[in-house]
Amino acid sequence: MSAGSVAVVVTEEIDVPSWDLYELSIPCTVFGKPQPDLADPWYDLRLCGTREPGHAPGAPANGAVLSLRTRHGLADLAGADTVIVPSVPDACVDEGRPLDPELIAALRLAHDAGARMVSLCTGAFALAEAGILDGRRAAAHWMHTAQLADRYPKVRVDDSVLYVDDGDVLTSAGLTAGLDLCLHLVRRDLGGHVANQLARRMVVPAHRPGGQAQFIDQPMPATDDRGLAPVLDWARARLDQPLTVEDLARQAAMSPRTLYRRLQAATGATPLQWLLDQRLRRAQSLLESTDLPVSRIGELSGLGTANNLRHHFVKQIGVSPSDYRRAFPTA
């Protein structure tokens, strides 16, 4: 299966200190380095600058301290399968400076051509300016969501979630939420096994659901909590069995209330939400790697009947188990 082409918008100049470089590095790290042992071919990454391709950068202007030169230009966005806007200049957000009209026109053309459109953090301002977010739910860093909602009233801004997957348009909050969204894209394109292995190599959590809050007490994987790791491993080994909060609390030698509080602090999810997520991930893995009947996968993942598996799968993943399996043939 081809992973497709990914075009990343690179603005001419970067302010430092700034998070722009970090957010630009995320798609470059996820989609740029070939991973032939995980999926071959890997993604075809192109960096598309807002200045003329190959044009030598001059001295940075407007207070920026870094200028970038790319091989591709804005015209190359239209031919990509996925277009990612990591950020826009700070002045366009904080001071209301107009966004580059050539960039906005190129984004509209790419969207009209059928590209999957993605923004990280303030990149949502560019998609909104292009009208791509009109009538859609969208995420951005909580520090900028009020400005985004005020400037673009047709956009349904959600200031609480890590990222929003609206099918062909996806948006994320800032910083590590952008990494979560990029790994989510890999999971969508190439399956959970590939995404999990890539996350392991990057030493990051394999999956944080997009609906998880931007603010949690300890934004780290639950297995970093030494007190929780054994009980969570115990639960993962028994997903085919009925499990309750009381069962997990008993195994962890703590009260249900304490377990609830610590698990939510570590993962942003309640114990039952965490269990459901683990069961769905088990079902995804089995659908990708086996030809077992859907009814059997429902049993092994602890979701019960085929109908119950289908209900949760469609609600959380967005497609039926059968459609998901067809996207990841085992042969």
Side-chain angles (χ1 to χ4, degrees):
M1 178 183 298
S2 174
S5 56
V6 176
V8 179
V9 174
V10 180
T11 55
E12 293 182 13
E13 295 164 342
I14 301 291
D15 294 325
V16 177
S18 171
W19 299 117
D20 294 349
L21 275 175
Y22 176 80
E23 278 148 355
L24 174 60
S25 73
I26 289 171
C28 294
T29 302
V30 172
F31 303 111
K33 181 177 175 60
Q35 304 286 345
D37 57 324
L38 295 182
D40 192 14
W42 193 245
Y43 294 89
D44 172 25
L45 178 73
R46 64 189 71 160
L47 301 182
C48 301
T50 54
R51 68 168 74 237
E52 194 67 25
H55 177 74
N62 301 318
V65 300
L66 180 67
S67 292
L68 302 174
R69 179 171 58 180
T70 63
R71 183 175 300 172
H72 300 279
L74 293 176
D76 296 300
L77 296 181
D81 297 306
T82 300
V83 172
I84 300 178
V85 188
S87 62
V88 298
D90 290 345
C92 295
V93 177
D94 299 330
E95 302 168 16
R97 193 176 79 190
L99 289 160
D100 182 349
E102 293 185 7
L103 168 61
I104 302 308
L107 292 175
R108 289 181 181 136
L109 283 175
H111 182 247
D112 291 343
R116 178 172 60 182
M117 307 300 291
V118 179
S119 68
L120 313 182
C121 195
T122 59
F125 283 78
L127 296 191
E129 181 69 21
I132 296 169
L133 298 182
D134 286 357
R136 294 180 184 262
R137 179 167 160 260
H141 193 291
W142 62 268
M143 290 180 65
H144 306 299
T145 49
Q147 293 160 298
L148 182 64
D150 182 65
R151 199 171 303 173
Y152 304 102
K154 293 182 180 180
V155 181
R156 295 186 289 116
V157 179
D158 191 331
D159 63 358
S160 64
V161 297
L162 294 179
Y163 58 85
V164 172
D165 181 343
D166 197 24
D168 61 334
V169 178
L170 301 92
T171 54
S172 83
L175 303 176
T176 55
L179 179 55
D180 291 319
L181 177 53
C182 287
L183 287 172
H184 172 73
L185 289 171
V186 175
R187 184 178 297 273
R188 266 183 49 170
D189 295 341
L190 300 173
H193 175 74
V194 173
N196 292 344
Q197 292 304 308
L198 179 60
R200 180 187 291 270
R201 294 180 186 186
M202 298 176 68
V203 198
V204 296
H207 178 57
R208 289 200 297 172
Q212 180 172 318
Q214 290 190 37
F215 287 115
I216 55 177
D217 293 340
Q218 295 173 281
M220 61 184 72
T223 50
D224 284 352
D225 187 321
R226 294 183 180 180
L228 287 178
V231 68
L232 298 187
D233 289 342
W234 176 86
R236 289 189 190 98
R238 293 163 175 79
L239 292 175
D240 60 334
Q241 303 174 21
L243 294 173
T244 66
V245 176
E246 288 72 20
D247 293 332
L248 271 63
R250 189 179 306 111
Q251 182 67 23
M254 61 181 68
S255 70
R257 171 179 282 187
T258 299
L259 175 76
Y260 189 105
R261 175 178 53 79
R262 288 181 59 178
L263 185 60
Q264 189 165 44
T267 69
T270 68
L272 291 181
Q273 288 170 336
W274 181 86
L275 275 172
L276 177 60
D277 183 58
Q278 299 302 309
R279 295 188 193 282
L280 286 169
R281 289 171 63 183
R282 171 69 58 82
Q284 284 180 284
S285 178
L286 292 171
L287 286 166
E288 293 169 21
S289 60
T290 76
D291 58 0
L292 290 171
V294 172
S295 58
R296 181 59 177 151
I297 290 177
E299 295 171 358
L300 292 174
S301 61
L303 291 169
T305 66
N307 283 338
N308 196 49
L309 170 62
R310 190 174 298 108
H311 167 77
H312 287 293
F313 218 83
V314 170
K315 183 177 180 180
Q316 300 294 327
I317 311 299
V319 297
S320 71
S322 298
D323 287 342
Y324 185 87
R325 167 171 271 167
R326 278 192 287 269
F328 303 101
T330 56

